[in-house]
């Protein structure tokens, strides 16, 4: 149980285009989903927290107009990188918390490798 | 701002050796998770500890939560090449996790 999927697993796009990444909890409902960014051999950096049906909460320094988050249901959150630039190239990982649990456990997706040319 | 200091940052050992990874903070956490991540994949939850002084064992891995719930350790006995990966500790508070910087473990055959 507690499986989270992400799609796509990798994407290459041209500078100036937008890219959408989907995060789904496959076998549970998630009260909250999180989006992280990770640079090589470094830890995870929280970008934003999203709750179903409400606006996402962004961490300091993360541009909300550039990284659009939509949490349409208890099993789906999407991250759209708008007008992508080469510096947006990174590994993006989502996670989800189980509705019934209260121990802050997060279950992570497999990540999406974004390369902006 | 809550911080988790994780050490060591890098660790390269021979198969069969034991090792310990530490996570320390000045903040109290309601829970502490340990994750393992392989290159190009998402972190996988290994264990969650919630009670001060709690010890959990997962085969050759032993996890301990400090009495004051500010620190934790991960001990691996007789490390194997399959243990190679990035180990991350994460402290839970409210609904968020604060991650340590990670320990990149390499176990050489």
């Amino acid at each position: 149980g507690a499986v989270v999927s992400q799609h796509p697993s990798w994407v290459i796009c041209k500078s100036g285009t937008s890219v959408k990444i989907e995060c789904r909890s496959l076998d549970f409902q998630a009260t909250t989903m999180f989006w992280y960014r990770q640079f090589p051999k470094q830890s995870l950096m929280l970008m934003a927290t999203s709750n179903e049906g409400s606006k996402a909460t962004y961490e300091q320094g993360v541009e909300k107009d550039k990284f659009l988050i939509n949490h349409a249901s208890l099993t789906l959150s999407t991250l759209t990188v708008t007008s992508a630039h080469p510096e947006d190239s990174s590994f993006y990982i989502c996670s989800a918390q189980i509705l019934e649990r209260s121990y802050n456990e997060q279950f992570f997706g497999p990540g999406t490798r974004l390369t902006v040319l | 701002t809550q911080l988790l200091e994780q050490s060591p940052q890098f660790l390269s050992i021979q198969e069969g050796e034991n090792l310990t990874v530490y996570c320390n903070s000045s903040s109290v956490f309601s829970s502490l998770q340990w994750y393992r991540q392989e290159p190009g994949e998402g972190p996988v939850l290994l264990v969650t500890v919630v009670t001060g002084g709690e010890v959990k064992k997962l085969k050759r891995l032993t996890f301990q939560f400090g009495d004051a719930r500010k620190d934790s350790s991960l001990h691996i006995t007789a490390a194997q090449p399959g243990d190679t990966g990035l180990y991350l500790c994460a402290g839970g508070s409210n609904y968020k996790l604060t991650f340590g910087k990670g320990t990149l473990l390499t176990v050489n055959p």
Side-chain angles (χ1 to χ4, degrees):
Chain A
V3 179
V4 177
S5 71
Q6 260 182 263
H7 179 79
S9 55
W10 60 270
V11 56
I12 302 172
C13 68
K14 291 183 179 180
S15 186
T17 60
S18 294
V19 175
K20 180 186 282 189
I21 303 170
E22 290 188 350
C23 177
R24 293 181 185 272
S25 55
L26 298 184
D27 52 1
F28 65 98
Q29 290 186 322
T31 45
T32 307
M33 288 184 168
F34 303 84
W35 288 95
Y36 293 85
R37 186 171 179 176
Q38 186 177 34
F39 293 102
K41 296 186 178 180
Q42 293 188 24
S43 189
L44 282 69
M45 182 187 79
L46 180 64
M47 298 174 66
T49 302
S50 79
N51 291 288
E52 183 260 344
S54 62
K55 288 184 179 180
T57 302
Y58 291 82
E59 295 299 302
Q60 192 171 7
V62 178
E63 299 176 58
K64 60 181 180 181
D65 294 330
K66 180 165 188 61
F67 298 100
L68 300 179
I69 292 172
N70 182 269
H71 198 146
S73 72
L74 285 173
T75 60
L76 173 64
S77 177
T78 60
L79 167 68
T80 301
V81 182
T82 63
S83 187
H85 290 286
E87 57 265 30
D88 298 325
S89 298
S90 191
F91 193 50
Y92 293 87
I93 313 176
C94 72
S95 71
Q97 283 185 334
I98 293 180
L99 188 66
E100 297 79 18
R101 294 191 191 176
S102 58
Y103 294 146
N104 304 108
E105 288 171 297
Q106 292 182 22
F107 297 91
F108 287 83
T112 297
R113 171 73 59 193
L114 170 63
T115 302
V116 184
L117 303 176
Chain B
T1 304
Q2 295 180 310
L3 293 175
L4 259 179
E5 297 290 335
Q6 190 172 341
S7 63
Q9 193 173 352
F10 300 97
L11 191 55
S12 180
I13 61 173
Q14 293 300 121
E15 183 176 0
E17 293 183 1
N18 302 333
L19 66 113
T20 302
V21 179
Y22 300 93
C23 262
N24 296 290
S25 176
S26 57
S27 303
V28 176
F29 292 102
S30 57
S31 66
L32 199 294
Q33 280 94 46
W34 284 91
Y35 294 85
R36 177 169 167 263
Q37 184 181 23
E38 298 197 31
E41 299 181 11
V44 174
L45 179 65
L46 296 174
V47 77
T48 300
V49 285
V50 298
T51 306
E54 183 176 4
V55 176
K56 281 192 175 179
K57 290 192 175 184
L58 185 66
K59 296 183 180 179
R60 293 177 293 100
L61 279 60
T62 302
F63 305 87
Q64 187 164 7
F65 201 12
D67 291 340
R69 289 185 289 134
K70 294 182 179 181
D71 56 85
S72 181
S73 64
L74 157 62
H75 183 78
I76 300 179
T77 303
Q80 299 176 1
D83 295 327
T84 293
L86 179 66
Y87 288 82
L88 297 159
C89 64
S93 182
N94 297 320
Y95 58 88
K96 280 186 183 180
L97 289 180
T98 299
F99 278 88
K101 290 192 174 181
T103 296
L104 191 59
L105 171 65
T106 303
V107 182
N108 302 298

